[in-house]
């Protein structure tokens, strides 16, 4: 800070100081906006899963209930228990920007608001612009609590209800401290009550921590007791709108259902609460929490030590709030979990331990104090170096605190480069969802061989039998529904682990699903009607008879001869076709087109197989932009063609073709990519001819055939029609 000039009056000095402060605030705002921009660009690929997918599905189900009329968990009254205010915000965003666009549009302004609020709260406490802005940026990094919830803009990026409580928590925390000795103390509690209309658990947790910290750090008196009572009343008044809708919904709903055996209900609750929100806490989750909590606790402890001699009521308030936030949610979770499960009832709040993330707020305050104290102990050059170093650590050090965040960002960039539009827990959801939305009835019910397929609902606007995250919705629908969810989810998990089509079909029959989605690398049912075939999923109509013929496992094709012997006879005017071995069971084909534009340019492989009715290819394509078509022929022992498929890749297809995927075809049936052009079911195919047609002369393309598998045919009495 510049020293006052000689001859300046006190008023001029004060005016200069105010100007410097506002200049500092302006620089801080610019830095926060720039930092928010970099975060938005880095995390622009939205991940929608878990609670967020449930919320989006619930909102879309309210607007189009006919699409989810047969959904076991989204066709009831559970949606009435979600805060209407938040639903209204998201409904408006979705209506104007679409599901993915709504989240991406909301991320940037929410991140800016969070950074500015955090900066303002830290500056009000420390009176240091450099310390406040550096720590505000540091606080944007994702740090985990024991309850599996996070502090930081990762939570903002998912745009869940708890996001809004997180954004305003620093300001409310500071107001509660600053106004503790006046009747304005009711203001932060009234505002927290209003936030309850957006996220009831988060606002309730934070309001409880504020009230408990006030009780423990202030001597009891009639005036203070009256203020706290008034604060509680203000909180209730602020929360009244949601309380009214919640009570009304519970009174009008019929979610109890039939009585269920107590042991089944207990097993369902234990399964639902397994992991980060229950006891015993899994070792992996505890280790992940400590790897986040430990570095910040070290910084906070250093700030506490350096404040020796300056500690006062603020430090007592901060320490009390920190201990309450770090310990009380764990104890409350344990007591609530054991109590309600002993009573045979579902807890009103599933995960109290999420409140533990509020402990990070105190650690960020002491991190700001640490920078402030270090600045006071150094000269001007040292202060500049310290601020620059701390700023760089805030911007780039977050991934070092959690290396998996950095790896996740790299993974998302690769997903974006490969053409994936949605980063979710199961692959290729968006593409099979596009097909389902366009090609199936609105009341269709699906079952997929994946336990976490919830985003399919809002992408496809279709019903789904079960997904793991449905347990949260089942809690609102009474004991019978959560027991049903547990039974179905357990059976689905067993079918997935065993890769059993039969077990999957039994569950589909019980749930009366219309379509069954099977992972493309599973043993498939060759006689079932295939209605969709993609990179990762094959979708079948559920047989009216209620059963598939016994699934026939695929048999691997062996390439045990010299690679050049597998060269296809389809060459055309290509200048060169090179065939090389790839790994233990694959081939690599590289095609270089010739200059002749009057003829086509081909290249590929031909290999013998056992007689087959279904063929599965594990492939990666090279230079797909140069591929006009992919041909797949099946020949009998006499060399005559008995099967043919053709695939003309679209621009969207080409964006995915460089990614390794399974492609499955069945005689006489068209799939998502390969269209059947010829099929003679009277003669089995005993060899395959796989070749590419180049888009133009003088181009190069190719593919890697990582492996090929065949399933025996089911012969019929006559030829089948090609679709």
């Amino acid at each position: 800070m510049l020293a006052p000039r000689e001859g300046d009056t006190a008023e001029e000095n004060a005016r200069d100081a105010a100007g410097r402060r506002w200049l500092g605030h302006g620089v801080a705002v610019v830095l926060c906006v720039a930092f928010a921009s970099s975060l938005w660009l880095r995390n622009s690929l939205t991940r929608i899963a878990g609670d967020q997918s449930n919320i989006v599905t619930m909102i879309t189900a309210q607007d189009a209930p006919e699409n989810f009329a047969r959904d076991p968990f989204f066709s009831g009254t559970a949606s009435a228990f979600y805060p209407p205010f938040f639903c209204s915000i998201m409904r408006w965003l979705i209506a104007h920007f679409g599901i993915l666009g709504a989240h991406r549009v909301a991320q940037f302004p929410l991140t800016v608001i969070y950074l500015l609020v955090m900066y303002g709260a830290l500056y009000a406490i420390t009176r240091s612009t450099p310390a406040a802005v550096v720590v505000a940026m540091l606080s944007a990094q994702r740090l985990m609590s024991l309850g599996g919830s996070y502090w930081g803009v990762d939570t903002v990026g998912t745009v869940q209800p708890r996001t809004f409580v997180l954004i305003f928590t620093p300001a409310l925390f500071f107001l509660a401290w600053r106004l503790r000795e006046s009747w304005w103390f009711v203001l932060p509690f009234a505002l927290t009550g209003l936030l309850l209309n957006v996220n009831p658990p988060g606002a309730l947790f934070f309001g409880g921590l504020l009230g408990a910290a006030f009780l423990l750090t202030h001597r009891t008196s009639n005036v203070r007791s009256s203020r706290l009572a008034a604060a509680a009343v203000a909180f209730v008044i602020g929360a009244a709108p949601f309380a009214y809708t919640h009570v009304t919904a519970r009174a009008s709903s019929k979610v109890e259902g039939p009585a269920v055996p107590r042991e089944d209900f207990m097993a369902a609750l234990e399964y639902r609460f397994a992991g980060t929100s229950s006891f015993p806490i899994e070792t992996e989750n505890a280790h992940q929490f400590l790897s986040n909590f430990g570095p910040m606790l070290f910084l906070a402890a250093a700030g506490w030590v350096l404040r020796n001699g300056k500690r006062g009521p603020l430090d007592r308030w901060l320490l009390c709030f920190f201990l309450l936030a770090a310990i009380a949610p764990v104890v409350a979770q344990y007591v609530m979990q054991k109590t309600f499960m002993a009573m045979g009832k579902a807890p009103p709040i599933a995960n109290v331990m999420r409140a533990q993330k509020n402990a990070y707020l105190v650690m960020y305050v002491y991190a700001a104090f640490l920078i402030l104290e270090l600045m006071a102990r150094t000269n001007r050059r040292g202060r500049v170096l310290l601020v620059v170093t701390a700023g760089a650590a805030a911007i780039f050090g977050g991934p070092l605190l959690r290396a998996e965040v950095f790896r996740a960002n790299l993974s998302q960039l690769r997903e974006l480069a490969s053409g994936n539009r949605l980063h979710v827990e199961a692959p290729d959801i968006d593409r099979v969802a596009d097909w389902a939305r366009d090609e199936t009835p609105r009341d269709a019910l699906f079952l997929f061989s994946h336990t976490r397929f919830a985003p399919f609902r809002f992408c496809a606007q279709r019903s789904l039998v079960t997904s793991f995250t449905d347990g949260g919705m089942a809690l609102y629908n009474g004991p019978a529904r959560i027991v049903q969810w547990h039974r179905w989810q357990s059976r689905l998990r067993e079918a997935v682990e065993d890769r059993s089509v039969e077990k999957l079909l039994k569950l589909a029959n019980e749930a009366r699903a219309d379509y069954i989605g099977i992972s493309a690398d599973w043993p498939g049912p060759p006689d079932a009607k295939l209605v969709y075939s993609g990179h990762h999923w094959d979708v079948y109509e559920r047989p009216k008879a209620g059963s598939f013929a016994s699934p026939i496992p695929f048999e691997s094709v062996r390439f045990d001869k010299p690679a050049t012997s597998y060269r296809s006879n389809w060459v055309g005017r290509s200048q060169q076709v090179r065939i090389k071995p790839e790994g233990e069971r694959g081939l690599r084909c590289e095609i270089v087109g010739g200059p002749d534009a009057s003829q086509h340019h081909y290249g590929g492989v031909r290999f013998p197989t056992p007689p087959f009715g279904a063929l599965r290819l594990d492939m990666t394509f090279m230079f797909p932009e140069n591929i006009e078509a992919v041909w797949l022929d099946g020949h009998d022992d006499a060399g005559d063609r008995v099967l043919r498929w053709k695939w003309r890749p679209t621009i969207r297809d080409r964006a995915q073709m460089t990614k390794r995927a399974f492609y499955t075809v069945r005689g006489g049936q068209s799939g998502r990519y390969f269209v059947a052009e010829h099929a003679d079911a009277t003669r089995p195919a005993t060899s395959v001819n796989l070749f590419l047609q180049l888009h133009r002369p003088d181009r190069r393309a190719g593919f890697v055939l990582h492996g090929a598998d065949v399933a025996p045919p089911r012969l019929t009495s006559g030829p089948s029609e090609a679709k």
Side-chain angles (χ1 to χ4, degrees):
M1 182 177 294
L2 297 175
R5 295 173 305 205
E6 288 190 29
D8 285 350
T9 64
E11 182 180 351
E12 289 173 336
N13 290 334
R15 189 163 52 247
D16 289 344
R20 288 191 293 271
R21 281 198 303 273
W22 283 109
L23 177 61
H25 292 329
V27 172
V29 169
V30 171
L31 288 175
C32 287
V33 172
F35 187 56
S37 301
S38 69
L39 289 173
W40 186 84
L41 292 172
R42 188 181 69 186
N43 299 320
S44 60
L45 185 61
T46 303
R47 182 181 188 272
I48 300 181
D51 293 342
Q52 190 180 12
S53 65
N54 282 350
I55 293 168
V56 174
T57 301
M58 179 268 300
I59 292 172
T60 56
Q62 289 178 343
D63 295 337
E66 64 276 8
N67 291 346
F68 300 94
R70 297 177 58 202
D71 195 285
F73 304 104
F74 286 86
S75 58
T77 58
S79 59
F81 295 97
Y82 275 84
F85 181 71
F86 175 78
C87 295
S88 300
I89 295 174
M90 291 306 301
R91 180 175 288 107
W92 185 88
L93 288 171
I94 291 172
H96 287 80
F97 301 103
I99 292 173
L100 293 178
H103 291 80
R104 295 181 67 173
V105 166
Q107 282 177 9
F108 178 71
L110 291 177
T111 304
V112 171
I113 293 171
Y114 166 77
L115 290 172
L116 294 179
V117 169
M118 190 68 170
Y119 164 76
L122 291 172
Y123 177 82
I125 294 174
T126 64
R127 294 297 173 181
S128 171
T129 295
V133 72
V134 166
V135 175
M137 291 190 294
L138 176 64
S139 73
Q141 305 301 334
R142 163 179 161 170
L143 296 175
M144 180 183 178
S145 71
L146 271 180
S149 188
Y150 299 91
W151 184 282
V153 295
D154 179 78
T155 301
V156 175
T158 58
V159 197
Q160 298 189 49
R162 68 188 76 136
T163 294
F164 293 84
V165 178
L166 170 73
I167 287 175
F168 296 107
T169 290
L172 296 174
F173 180 78
F174 167 73
L175 284 176
W177 160 253
R178 182 57 60 89
L179 303 175
R180 69 194 184 284
E181 297 296 343
S182 72
W183 282 100
W184 285 105
F185 180 67
V186 303
L187 178 61
F189 286 87
L191 295 175
T192 305
L194 288 175
L195 287 177
L196 191 140
N197 294 282
V198 179
N199 178 231
L204 190 62
F205 297 155
F206 182 69
L209 290 173
L210 284 182
F214 180 84
L215 278 175
L216 294 175
T217 55
H218 292 75
R219 293 179 180 178
T220 303
S221 68
N222 291 335
V223 174
R224 284 174 177 154
S225 298
S226 299
R227 286 179 190 149
L228 190 59
V233 172
F235 180 87
V236 172
I237 293 174
F242 172 74
Y244 172 78
T245 58
H246 181 76
V247 171
T248 303
R250 185 171 288 277
S252 62
S253 64
K254 299 178 182 179
V255 299
E256 292 301 321
V260 295
R262 178 183 173 82
E263 57 273 15
D264 292 348
F265 181 66
M266 296 287 286
L269 288 182
E270 290 177 357
Y271 181 79
R272 172 63 182 84
F273 295 132
T276 57
S277 60
S278 68
F279 294 89
I281 297 171
E282 295 178 357
T283 303
E284 180 181 353
N285 294 323
H287 179 269
Q288 189 179 22
F289 162 71
L290 292 175
S291 69
N292 290 197
F293 201 81
M296 282 307 306
L297 185 60
F298 174 79
L299 294 178
W304 168 272
V305 170
L306 291 182
R307 273 181 62 80
N308 187 28
K310 300 181 182 179
R311 302 187 198 120
L314 174 62
D315 297 274
R316 289 194 295 273
W317 163 269
L318 292 171
L319 180 61
C320 182
F321 187 90
F322 172 78
L323 293 175
L324 285 170
I327 299 173
V330 181
V331 176
Q333 178 74 32
Y334 180 83
V335 172
M336 186 180 69
Q337 178 181 326
K338 298 301 180 183
T339 301
F340 278 88
M341 292 182 69
M343 295 167 57
K345 295 183 178 180
I349 301 176
N351 191 349
V352 179
M353 282 198 290
R354 284 178 176 171
Q356 192 187 55
K357 68 183 178 184
N358 289 293
Y360 283 112
L361 180 58
V362 175
M363 291 191 282
Y364 287 129
V365 172
Y366 276 103
F369 279 138
L370 173 63
I371 295 175
L372 184 63
E373 294 298 328
L374 291 176
M375 289 174 62
R377 287 167 167 78
T378 58
N379 56 29
R380 185 175 181 181
R381 181 177 296 178
R383 288 195 294 271
V384 172
L385 180 61
L386 175 64
V387 171
V388 172
T389 303
I395 296 172
F396 303 108
L400 300 180
L401 291 177
R402 295 190 72 231
E404 61 268 26
V405 175
F406 183 68
R407 291 194 296 269
N409 286 335
L410 292 180
S411 175
Q412 288 191 359
L413 289 175
R414 286 194 294 268
E415 290 289 313
L416 185 62
S418 67
N420 272 2
R421 295 173 296 153
L422 180 64
H423 184 65
V424 291
E425 294 163 298
D428 219 24
I429 286 183
D430 51 344
R431 285 172 172 76
V432 68
D434 286 348
W435 166 82
R437 187 176 58 252
D438 296 337
E439 302 295 338
T440 63
R442 302 184 72 175
D443 63 347
L445 179 60
F446 286 79
L447 175 65
F448 283 87
S449 61
H450 199 289
T451 59
R452 293 179 179 268
F453 220 71
F456 172 83
R457 284 192 178 97
F458 65 79
C459 289
Q461 290 292 290
R462 296 294 183 269
S463 299
L464 186 68
V465 171
T466 184
S467 179
F468 179 79
T469 53
D470 295 345
M473 299 300 294
L475 283 172
Y476 295 114
N477 283 277
R481 192 58 61 88
I482 194 171
V483 168
Q484 179 191 47
W485 165 79
H486 176 232
R487 186 176 68 251
W488 284 2
Q489 188 67 19
S490 299
R491 290 173 56 186
L492 176 59
R493 188 179 70 251
E494 181 182 351
V496 171
E497 290 174 351
D498 296 344
R499 297 166 62 89
S500 172
V501 176
E502 283 301 309
K503 290 181 180 180
L504 196 67
L505 179 63
K506 289 180 181 179
L507 176 57
N509 287 336
E510 180 179 335
R512 299 182 181 276
D514 300 304
Y515 299 94
I516 304 173
I518 298 175
S519 181
D521 62 342
W522 277 32
D527 60 334
K529 183 178 180 181
L530 179 70
V531 292
Y532 171 87
S533 180
H535 283 199
H536 293 92
W537 303 103
D538 291 338
V539 180
Y540 303 86
E541 286 187 2
R542 181 171 66 93
K544 295 181 180 179
S547 65
F548 290 128
S550 298
I552 302 175
F554 282 91
E555 176 184 349
S556 296
V557 176
R558 299 181 54 133
F559 300 103
D560 49 10
K561 296 180 180 180
T564 54
S565 65
Y566 296 107
R567 178 174 167 173
S568 171
N569 58 326
W570 280 87
V571 177
R573 294 295 183 176
S574 293
Q575 179 178 328
Q576 189 177 39
V577 178
R578 292 191 294 266
I579 310 297
K580 304 176 182 178
E582 180 73 20
E584 296 181 356
R585 55 184 301 261
L587 298 171
R588 174 184 291 266
C589 176
E590 299 173 355
I591 308 163
V592 179
D596 188 355
S598 63
Q599 300 293 328
H600 295 306
H601 302 256
Y602 300 98
V605 296
R606 179 168 181 166
F607 51 90
T609 67
F612 71 90
L615 174 68
R616 184 174 65 200
L617 304 173
D618 182 3
M619 298 185 68
T620 304
F621 290 91
M622 299 176 290
F623 304 105
E625 66 276 8
N626 296 329
I627 298 176
E628 174 70 19
V630 183
W631 299 85
L632 188 59
D633 292 345
H635 297 265
D636 62 11
D637 289 331
D640 296 330
R641 186 172 63 217
V642 295
L643 297 170
R644 165 163 276 191
W645 296 268
K646 182 180 180 180
W647 175 17
R648 288 188 177 273
T650 63
I651 295 176
R652 185 174 167 184
D653 292 340
R654 291 189 175 98
Q656 285 288 318
M657 291 173 72
T658 56
K659 188 175 182 180
R660 183 172 176 176
F662 288 95
Y663 300 89
T664 304
V665 294
R666 289 166 175 81
Q669 297 187 25
S670 296
R672 168 68 177 83
Y673 300 103
F674 286 94
V675 177
E677 293 194 343
H678 172 71
D680 183 355
T682 61
R683 294 178 292 171
T686 57
S687 67
V688 170
N689 200 353
L690 169 65
F691 57 98
L692 309 180
Q693 178 183 337
L694 298 186
H695 182 58
R696 292 179 181 176
D698 294 321
R699 293 289 192 269
R700 65 173 59 234
F703 59 85
V704 176
L705 180 62
H706 301 281
D709 308 290
V710 295
R714 297 183 183 278
L715 296 179
T716 59
S717 57
S720 60
E721 285 189 7
K723 296 183 180 179

